[in-house]
Each structure stands twice: as C-alpha cells, then as structure tokens.
Amino acid sequence: MSQYHEEDEPNYSIMEEEMPYLKREDEKTVLISAQPPSLIPPPVIEFDSAGRKSAPGKRKPCNCTRSQCLKLYCDCFANGEFCLNCNCKDCHNNLEFNHERSRAIKQSLEKNPQAFKPKIGVATKGINSDMERLHQKGCHCKKSNCLKNYCECYEAKVACTDRCKCRTCRNTEADRQVRFTDRFPMSSDFDRRTPISEDEAEEPVSSKSVKTHPWYYLTDDVVETTTMCLLGQVHESEQKNESTSETIKALCGEFGSCLLQIFDATRKAQQNELLSTKKEYITPSDLS
DNA sequence: GAGTTTGAAACT
DNA sequence: CAGTTTCAAACTC
Ligand SMILES: [Zn+2]
Ligand SMILES: [Zn+2]
Ligand SMILES: [Zn+2]
Ligand SMILES: [Zn+2]
Ligand SMILES: [Zn+2]
Ligand SMILES: [Zn+2]
C-alpha cells in the first residue's frame, strides 16, 4: 500500500490511504480486485464521508433504483463500500460486478479526485488537528436555510462557513451558539453540585445507593441546561416555520436526548459503585 | 405509505 | 464556468 511515495503526486497518496484497494501503475490509476473494504478486518470508522456518525458494523441501507449504486448518488458507493443488506434495485455495487464497479470508481475519481475523501474533516486526530471538522466544499442550499438535513453542513452538525454558498443561511456559527444544543452537550460525567434537600445531603449511608437513581442528577444545573436545550429547540423550530406538531415532535426528541444523557450518568454511577466495592478510589482510567 | 421538496451529482 | 436534468434522501401529511 505504501510502495509509492511520490511527492508531486498528492492524489495518489491520498487515494492509497483512503482506498487500500487502489494501486498506482505507471501513469494510471489501476484498481486491483483485492479484498473489498467491507471484508477487510475492522473498519473502525467514526464518521462516514458525509460526517455522519457511523457505527462501524451498521450502515444505513440505500434504496437506489436508477444508479445501479455505481454513482455518487448512492451513499454506499460514495463511502467506498459495497452494498450489503440494501434495498437497491439492479445493484452493481458488489463483487459480481467488481470490474464494472472498479471502472465506476475510476470514473468518479477522475471527475473529482477528492470524491471518496470525507467531506467533513475528521475531528482532531491526535497531534494533527489541522483538519477542521467542517464541510470542505461547502453547501449550496437555497431554500432550506441550512436548517434541515437537506443541507450537508447541518446534517453533519457543523456550522456553515465562507466556503458555503448558501442563501439565507441560519447555520452560521453564531446561529448555532444561540441554539444551546451544541453549546452545552451535557457531559455525562457532570457532578451533582446542588443538594436536592438538606436531609439527603447529610445522609452518609444513602449516598451509596442514591447515586444510582436518575433523579439524583436532576440538579439545578441539569434542569436549567435541559430547559435551555428545549428553548433552543423551540427557537430552531420557529426559524424552520415548523408546524406545531413538528415542533412538539422535535421537542420530544430533544428532551429525550437530554434524558438519555441524564440516564447515562446514572448508569456510569452504577458502574462506579460496582467498582468501588473492590477499590477504594476510582481513577479516571476506570471510567472511559 | 404516498407525494413533495431539496440540493448534490451528473450531464450538456 | 453556468444552466439543466437526474437522482436518492429528507421531509411532510
Ligand atoms: Zn445504492
Ligand atoms: Zn447500498
Ligand atoms: Zn446497491
Ligand atoms: Zn446548507
Ligand atoms: Zn453550509
Ligand atoms: Zn448555510
């Protein structure tokens, strides 16, 4: 994979990094029918090419009907993956049509050498934090105000930048900051700061099991943050001109998201309690 | 589920 | 490069 290192050919080095089954041969890019990416050991990918969260094993099945999953219209193809358990019709994005598929990849690649590179920069990779987690090409939205998932920036949960050519954008960094959801993602390891009642605060015995109940984490801070998130959601829904029912639906989602984070803190507290039966102190490395 | 809306990708 | 068409997903009801 790394037998070619030519400084003046950045495209190929990128391609070899992103698509191991591509090889350089003479002045051409040649696709070798090596192991398909989906069969290669562990594709530990956190984000797909569009910046969406992508659980390594699972992938949203496509429903392509006219592209044969051999154009970038197909998300599977665009992610450099084979179709598997998809609902596509007349799919050629598989080993049966490997040759045709390789030709299609090559075709897309010569149209745009960056075609299979992630559209959204990976979020800080150790020392190399140059790659911003922002859309590299920018969106061109006209009617969604960049407030719906039609917008690739919004879908990837990143702010629009000057690279975008969107009209009436409501997804600027400033816009996002008044929506709270992104500003205060309640860290699941927040501490309880405000005692709910004085009795309980001075109860040494109950402190062992009380932390395993969700309501223990309903501190003022958490309640306030949750409320802020909901208000931010209302704000966003109003900008979208959403109907009341859609607004309520969105609010339910937001509230559920907050509740899950609170519950997550509960779950971690339970784990800590289990660990503390053997250890006096828990080091941060125990948590993860 | 049916029908509409949307903007990237493809095409001219 | 710009204008148009095609396409599959996002969205609405
Ligand atoms: Zn497909
Ligand atoms: Zn597919
Ligand atoms: Zn397919
Ligand atoms: Zn946009
Ligand atoms: Zn944008
Ligand atoms: Zn925008």
Side-chain angles (χ1 to χ4, degrees), chain A residues 69-106:
Chain A
C69 300
L70 250 38
K71 303 253 176 99
L72 294 175
Y73 294 130
C74 173
D75 280 338
C76 305
F77 181 79
N79 287 331
E81 296 169 355
F82 286 89
C83 278
L84 190 62
N85 302 325
C86 291
N87 309 314
C88 35
K89 301 292 183 294
D90 193 18
C91 180
H92 288 199
N93 185 25
N94 51 49
L95 282 174
E96 333 281 338
F97 299 85
N98 201 357
H99 194 263
E100 189 182 354
R101 177 178 183 269
S102 299
R103 196 187 322 145
I105 293 177
K106 181 179 170 186

Side-chain angles (χ1 to χ4, degrees), chain A residues 79 140 228 240:
Chain A
N79 287 331
H140 306 79
M228 292 299 237
K240 289 182 181 177

Side-chain angles (χ1 to χ4, degrees), chain A residues 5-288:
Chain A
H5 285 296
E6 300 189 23
E7 308 292 345
D8 53 342
E9 299 272 355
N11 288 347
Y12 292 114
S13 61
I14 289 169
M15 286 155 49
E16 287 173 4
E17 184 182 340
E18 297 290 321
M19 311 183 72
Y21 50 98
L22 287 175
K23 270 197 176 177
R24 166 94 191 285
E25 184 176 290
D26 294 332
E27 291 302 299
K28 287 183 178 177
T29 305
V30 175
L31 298 141
I32 61 172
S33 55
Q35 287 286 343
S38 55
L39 300 182
I40 279 176
V44 185
I45 307 169
E46 216 174 313
F47 296 95
D48 66 8
S49 67
R52 287 176 291 229
K53 280 182 205 167
S54 153
K58 306 137 205 169
R59 152 195 48 176
K60 188 182 299 182
C62 71
N63 304 285
C64 311
T65 59
R66 313 203 49 102
S67 69
Q68 300 176 319
C69 300
L70 250 38
K71 303 253 176 99
L72 294 175
Y73 294 130
C74 173
D75 280 338
C76 305
F77 181 79
N79 287 331
E81 296 169 355
F82 286 89
C83 278
L84 190 62
N85 302 325
C86 291
N87 309 314
C88 35
K89 301 292 183 294
D90 193 18
C91 180
H92 288 199
N93 185 25
N94 51 49
L95 282 174
E96 333 281 338
F97 299 85
N98 201 357
H99 194 263
E100 189 182 354
R101 177 178 183 269
S102 299
R103 196 187 322 145
I105 293 177
K106 181 179 170 186
Q107 195 171 337
S108 296
L109 222 41
E110 61 193 32
K111 242 181 303 190
N112 172 19
Q114 321 274 317
F116 296 94
K117 291 213 332 174
K119 289 179 179 176
I120 310 293
V122 184
T124 63
K125 207 173 182 180
I127 309 167
N128 192 5
S129 64
D130 280 359
M131 196 70 147
E132 300 176 281
R133 178 143 195 286
L134 293 173
H135 203 290
Q136 296 301 297
K137 293 200 322 190
C139 66
H140 306 79
C141 308
K142 298 188 171 179
K143 309 180 69 173
S144 70
N145 294 6
C146 301
L147 277 180
K148 300 190 178 181
N149 284 332
Y150 297 127
C151 170
E152 295 196 341
C153 299
Y154 182 88
E155 181 186 34
K157 304 201 180 349
V158 300
C160 286
T161 66
D162 49 3
R163 284 172 290 210
C164 301
K165 289 165 188 165
C166 37
R167 295 185 354 175
T168 62
C169 179
R170 295 298 228 161
N171 188 42
T172 65
E173 188 58 41
D175 286 321
R176 307 195 116 252
Q177 294 217 333
V178 301
R179 288 210 284 269
F180 286 98
T181 308
D182 302 306
R183 195 153 44 126
F184 296 131
M186 275 190 293
S187 56
S188 49
D189 58 335
F190 52 78
D191 265 335
R192 176 167 185 226
R193 293 200 176 84
T194 325
I196 291 180
S197 69
E198 301 214 353
D199 306 323
E200 179 197 324
E202 301 181 9
E203 207 170 351
V205 181
S206 67
S207 66
K208 196 168 189 182
S209 60
V210 74
K211 291 183 180 177
T212 65
H213 291 300
W215 52 260
Y216 179 80
Y217 294 91
L218 293 181
T219 65
D220 292 345
D221 282 350
V222 171
V223 171
E224 180 175 341
T225 303
T226 299
T227 306
M228 292 299 237
C229 288
L230 295 180
L231 286 173
Q233 183 60 58
V234 171
H235 186 252
E236 179 174 327
S237 288
E238 287 196 346
Q239 285 188 331
K240 289 182 181 177
N241 276 328
E242 278 183 336
S243 66
T244 304
S245 68
E246 292 297 326
T247 300
I248 292 175
K249 197 181 296 182
L251 280 170
C252 286
E254 187 67 19
F255 188 51
S257 175
C258 292
L259 238 45
L260 283 179
Q261 292 184 49
I262 293 170
F263 190 82
D264 195 46
T266 309
R267 188 181 52 73
K268 289 196 173 181
Q270 289 172 344
Q271 287 179 356
N272 290 356
E273 199 150 290
L274 283 179
L275 289 173
S276 64
T277 60
K278 297 187 176 180
K279 281 186 178 181
E280 186 87 17
Y281 297 105
I282 306 300
T283 62
S285 57
D286 292 330
L287 307 181
S288 73

